[in-house]
Amino acid sequence: MCLIALIFMFLMITAEVITLAKKIWNYHHVNQNLVKSDCILALGSHDTRVADRAAELYLQGWAPLLIFAGGLGRLTEGLWTESEADLFARIAIEKGVPEEAILIENRSTNTGENIILVQQLLKERHLDPQTFIVVQKPYMERRSYATFAKNWPGKQFVVTSPQISFEAYPTPDIPLEQVINIMVGDLQRIKVYPEKGFQIYQDIPDDVWQAYERLVALGYNKQLIKEDA
């Protein structure tokens, strides 16, 4: 798809939707500062820019170990044949990360499993990093934070993502409509997952939740879960 077509698709979405989506986009960011750590943990995703960001951080010297986690999840199952972690590791190696600095967990299907199976992998390797840089998509920073804090208490970590603006984020493979649907679905998960024991609680400001409700009413409901599931 050419740039003109992408711009046209962006303009087809109303100004109201853009304003609401940007409010949710901003909420999903936790805006933490990087600190040198024992390990960079890139969580599974359908966005290969996560691998680019993780490789960039390793090459800049932020941590000596790089772990990629992810098999095939709800956004990549049926779309990719190669696991998220294996693809991301290959991208990192192509960017200059030495293969011996990379560990791969390629069986998990969601964020919680990413973390739990990485714990098992590190135990098998007799490794016990205490500090982490967690890398995910920009609009999944907060859910990654809440999930890591729940599943790995006692570890110190910060969360980061590809440094991309809302306007620049959509691509032909990840169109804006899909981005908005996923962001809405992730906000719902931030609200309901603490009760299920999947994440720690995160406060959601009223205006952010109102933006969520309005977007759902406008039809951005394709990534929602049934709350009684």
Side-chain angles (χ1 to χ4, degrees):
M1 185 181 300
C2 68
L3 179 59
I4 293 175
L6 275 174
I7 294 171
F8 179 76
M9 287 179 61
F10 197 98
L11 293 174
M12 287 293 289
I13 294 178
T14 67
E16 179 193 12
V17 169
I18 296 296
T19 299
L20 296 169
K22 287 183 71 171
K23 185 179 290 291
I24 293 177
W25 169 276
N26 290 334
Y27 171 76
H28 279 312
H29 284 70
V30 294
N31 301 311
Q32 295 182 316
N33 294 322
L34 291 173
V35 293
K36 285 208 169 184
S37 302
D38 298 330
C39 177
I40 298 163
L41 172 57
L43 301 178
S45 173
H46 69 308
D47 186 348
T48 58
R49 289 170 293 187
V50 173
D52 294 334
R53 175 65 167 162
E56 172 188 81
L57 295 174
Y58 174 88
L59 294 170
Q60 289 175 351
W62 288 100
L65 176 65
L66 177 51
I67 303 175
F68 290 108
L72 292 173
R74 65 187 170 97
L75 297 176
T76 53
E77 188 175 18
L79 180 65
W80 295 356
T81 57
E82 184 177 17
S83 77
E84 297 160 4
D86 285 301
L87 174 58
F88 282 15
R90 182 158 53 82
I91 290 170
I93 291 168
E94 290 172 355
K95 287 184 169 294
V97 178
E99 189 171 354
E100 59 270 21
I102 296 175
L103 293 179
I104 295 173
E105 181 291 299
N106 59 10
R107 296 182 293 124
S108 54
T109 61
N110 57 55
T111 306
E113 285 185 0
N114 285 168
I115 295 164
I116 292 168
L117 293 181
V118 164
Q119 291 174 4
Q120 296 177 8
L121 174 64
L122 288 171
K123 186 175 181 180
E124 291 168 1
R125 298 297 183 95
H126 305 288
L127 297 172
D128 188 24
Q130 297 299 306
T131 54
F132 292 78
I133 297 172
V134 178
V135 187
Q136 244 295 8
K137 300 187 297 287
Y139 53 90
M140 203 173 164
E141 281 191 14
R142 186 173 295 276
R143 191 153 80 86
S144 298
Y145 173 87
T147 305
F148 190 103
K150 177 66 178 182
N151 287 282
W152 217 338
K155 301 295 186 182
Q156 297 180 19
F157 71 101
V158 296
V159 179
T160 188
S161 63
Q163 304 297 283
I164 307 172
S165 69
F166 172 78
E167 291 79 6
Y169 186 81
T171 70
D173 293 328
I174 309 174
L176 181 57
E177 183 179 2
Q178 184 186 43
V179 172
I180 297 173
N181 274 290
I182 297 170
M183 286 198 303
V184 167
D186 273 7
L187 185 56
Q188 179 204 33
R189 287 164 173 80
I190 286 171
K191 185 175 180 66
V192 305
Y193 274 6
E195 295 180 359
K196 298 177 183 294
F198 298 160
Q199 299 173 1
I200 64 168
Y201 169 80
Q202 296 282 281
D203 180 62
I204 302 175
D206 289 343
D207 62 331
V208 173
W209 192 248
Q210 289 166 7
Y212 162 89
E213 291 179 326
R214 177 59 177 156
L215 287 170
V216 170
L218 289 170
Y220 292 92
N221 56 10
K222 295 180 177 60
Q223 292 295 328
L224 295 183
I225 56 171
K226 293 181 179 178
E227 294 192 29
D228 59 352

